[in-house]
Amino acid sequence: MKEKTENYRRFFAVKNACRKIGPSSPQYKLRELTEEDIPDLQILFQETVLHVNARDYTREEVEDWASCGDSVEHMKDLLARNDYVAALNERDEIIGFSSMNAEGYLHSLFVHKDYQRAGIGSLLLSAVEKRAREYGVTEITSEVSLTARPFFEKNGYEVMKVQKRRANRLELTNFVMRKRLKD
């Protein structure tokens, strides 16, 4: 019992010593993505799906979904059809990305598994919603995973319908969501 208590003390001491709050928090940067970023995007996408989405989907489902990031050609096509923005950490590493097109479709929003709940998703969502406003879009739609649904609801999105959507081999449950933009 004493050893267990000591382990908890060390855990909380380390956790609290590493916690950054207030102005000393890291300042994340945003930039547009290019084809040169595809290898990093593939890794980030697959790692996020396999680790973060695994709490809401089966192992078989996340492995099938993650395999959607295998094709470089598919990624090039997505970059050509959508405006992608990346969030970068202080070492200029991509720690998240999102996309928006001129019709107001939010294709993706993924945050690195090690940067969950650090404000990256909110930063990216704000950036793509700004882009939608620049396009003159009045309503954003997206297909959102079970895992991401609470985040989107917290940010003003509403579920329009539940659906099954094919990843590669399997059909996974997700939600068509929308948000009406205010002027």
Side-chain angles (χ1 to χ4, degrees):
M1 184 66 171
K2 183 178 179 181
E3 183 180 322
K4 189 174 182 181
T5 303
E6 186 58 33
N7 286 340
Y8 280 120
R9 267 195 219 118
R10 273 185 286 197
F11 170 77
F12 286 111
V14 170
K15 183 178 178 188
N16 289 332
C18 294
R19 179 180 286 163
K20 294 182 179 181
I21 48 179
S24 62
S25 293
Q27 295 298 312
Y28 303 113
K29 296 180 279 188
L30 296 175
R31 74 165 169 82
E32 290 185 25
L33 291 170
T34 67
E35 285 188 8
E36 291 82 43
D37 296 312
I38 288 175
D40 292 334
L41 297 180
Q42 289 175 296
I43 292 167
L44 189 148
F45 166 75
Q46 291 174 329
E47 292 280 317
T48 301
V49 169
L50 291 171
H51 292 91
V52 176
N53 297 98
R55 69 176 178 243
D56 296 303
Y57 294 92
T58 68
R59 188 77 188 144
E60 185 181 24
E61 287 173 327
V62 293
E63 286 174 358
D64 186 59
W65 184 6
S67 72
C68 295
D70 289 342
S71 169
V72 171
E73 289 308 312
H74 177 66
M75 297 296 286
K76 285 180 181 179
D77 182 53
L78 289 173
L79 282 170
R81 291 186 293 120
N82 300 281
D83 289 329
Y84 274 82
V85 61
L88 309 172
N89 65 14
E90 56 278 351
R91 293 180 305 277
D92 287 334
E93 298 165 327
I94 297 173
I95 56 174
F97 65 89
S98 188
S99 67
M100 177 65 61
N101 69 23
E103 290 77 43
Y105 181 70
L106 192 162
H107 178 270
S108 57
L109 195 157
F110 289 92
V111 175
H112 189 283
K113 66 181 180 65
D114 296 336
Y115 286 85
Q116 297 289 306
R117 302 189 184 283
I120 308 304
S122 297
L123 179 67
L124 289 165
L125 186 60
S126 177
V128 295
E129 286 181 356
K130 179 181 178 193
R131 179 63 52 100
R133 285 183 180 89
E134 290 169 359
Y135 283 136
V137 169
T138 58
E139 181 177 282
I140 295 172
T141 59
S142 189
E143 294 172 272
V144 173
S145 70
L146 290 162
T147 311
R149 178 183 173 179
F151 169 79
F152 279 91
E153 286 178 327
K154 184 178 127 191
N155 284 283
Y157 288 74
E158 61 181 336
V159 173
M160 302 307 300
K161 72 177 181 175
V162 180
Q163 66 179 9
K164 292 284 189 178
R165 184 78 152 147
R166 182 170 302 282
N168 267 332
R169 297 177 296 101
L170 304 176
E171 291 193 349
L172 283 63
T173 299
N174 73 11
F175 305 90
V176 176
M177 298 186 79
R178 76 169 176 202
K179 179 177 182 178
R180 292 193 174 113
L181 298 177
K182 298 175 184 166
D183 292 332

